[in-house]
Amino acid sequence: MTIPADPPLPLAPPELTGLIDLHCHLLPGIDDGCQTLTQTLVTITALRLAGFQGSVCTPHVVARLYPRNVPANIQRGVQWLERELAEREVSHQLWPGGEVRIARDTIAWLEEQGVPTLGTGRAVLIDWWGSDWPPFCDQVCQYLLDHHYQPVLAHPERMGLEAPRLLSLLDDLRARGVWLQGNLNSFAGGEGPEARDLAVSLLGSGRYQALASDTHGPDSVAGRRDGLRWIRQQFGDQVVLDMLRHGPRRILHWGEQVA
Ligand SMILES: [Fe+2]
């Protein structure tokens, strides 16, 4: 695979640059995202062309599947990738994070390994794929809130619950203080019509705090760019900036002053 050279001008219009990708799988070989440094570099090049100036590295944090993905290792991985980018004079800011799959033992795991917050703030990206919402999911959210962390639920539009129940659950979670992050790929239909309809509804009703690429490698960027383009056409530039420039920054710095 060859790494394309940067064209002289970015494809993103100047007013839509400076975007921050809050959720992506760039660190190579540690989950089902990018598998090699070359894939990571190609993906970053594509994201930069789409207007992103930085990415939060959020590998899957699933003890059963990826036991080495603990905060200390993720931070080391980000520092390593920063050095690789610097050697190649690639300007793309990175922050450590993680996508914490909710499980029965999540609270015990967080207490043992530490909380993989997004950047230097206290926001935590969590995800859940079940067809219901068992009590331990609520307990994880409440644990984070009680300990002054800000839970951010990744791609709720892709969760397995049926639509009416899912909407009710999301409103309940929001009322309790959980924030929502939608996926760009959902808007281009890449996750199916149901996810697309729900994503459009959640965005249109102001229920998302941010959107993100959730990119897993070079082949997955095109759908994200289609989604970005679609949102721009349907909702306008201000929504793009709110969801991909301002919202992610707010999340990255949330709670920095909390002891
Ligand atoms: Fe993800």
Side-chain angles (χ1 to χ4, degrees):
M1 188 179 292
T2 56
I3 303 170
D6 280 354
L9 290 171
L11 293 182
E15 64 272 23
L16 290 186
T17 55
L19 310 183
I20 301 292
D21 194 9
L22 201 64
H23 175 176
C24 59
H25 299 263
L26 289 177
L27 293 179
I30 68 169
D31 66 2
D32 60 348
C34 294
Q35 293 304 305
T36 64
L37 177 59
T38 300
Q39 287 187 0
T40 299
L41 295 171
V42 172
T43 303
I44 287 175
T45 298
L47 289 170
R48 290 174 63 216
L49 292 173
F52 289 95
Q53 73 166 44
S55 302
V56 187
C57 297
T58 56
H60 292 294
V61 174
V62 186
R64 181 175 49 84
L65 294 176
Y66 309 110
R68 289 181 49 77
N69 289 358
V70 300
N73 286 340
I74 294 168
Q75 284 175 13
R76 271 194 287 272
V78 169
Q79 289 165 0
W80 168 80
L81 184 54
E82 285 174 336
R83 288 194 296 273
E84 296 293 331
L85 294 183
E87 275 180 22
R88 292 163 177 80
E89 299 184 346
V90 174
S91 172
H92 192 73
Q93 196 168 359
L94 299 176
W95 296 268
E99 182 179 18
V100 180
R101 176 82 41 86
I102 299 175
R104 288 184 188 280
D105 61 354
T106 293
I107 293 174
W109 188 93
L110 294 172
E111 294 196 336
E112 184 180 344
Q113 303 290 349
V115 181
T117 54
L118 303 174
T120 54
R122 292 181 68 87
V124 185
L125 192 67
I126 54 177
D127 77 336
W128 175 251
W129 293 99
S131 57
D132 60 357
W133 182 260
F136 64 81
C137 293
D138 267 338
Q139 289 161 9
V140 170
C141 293
Q142 199 58 48
Y143 172 87
L144 292 170
L145 291 165
D146 289 346
H147 289 77
H148 309 292
Y149 292 101
Q150 174 58 60
V152 180
L153 183 61
H155 39 64
E157 73 277 4
R158 299 182 62 199
M159 283 167 61
L161 287 80
E162 293 195 10
R165 195 160 156 240
L166 178 55
L167 279 171
S168 161
L169 170 67
L170 295 180
D171 279 343
D172 179 53
L173 291 173
R174 291 180 68 250
R176 290 169 53 197
V178 176
W179 289 354
L180 306 181
Q181 173 260 300
N183 270 16
L184 290 176
N185 199 40
S186 301
F187 292 88
E191 308 297 345
E194 291 179 2
R196 176 184 172 133
D197 290 349
L198 184 52
V200 171
S201 168
L202 291 172
L203 181 62
S205 56
R207 285 174 164 84
Y208 287 128
Q209 266 71 30
L211 301 176
S213 80
D214 197 5
T215 299
H216 279 65
D219 296 341
S220 69
V221 177
R224 278 66 178 173
R225 289 174 63 157
D226 289 346
L228 181 55
R229 195 175 304 120
W230 189 91
I231 293 165
R232 188 181 185 212
Q233 288 168 350
Q234 298 298 318
F235 287 91
D237 289 0
Q238 192 55 52
V239 169
V240 172
L241 295 176
D242 285 345
M243 291 291 107
L244 289 158
R245 187 190 283 175
H246 309 309
R249 282 181 170 79
R250 210 160 31 234
I251 291 171
L252 270 177
H253 297 292
W254 188 91
E256 278 178 337
Q257 300 87 350
V258 176

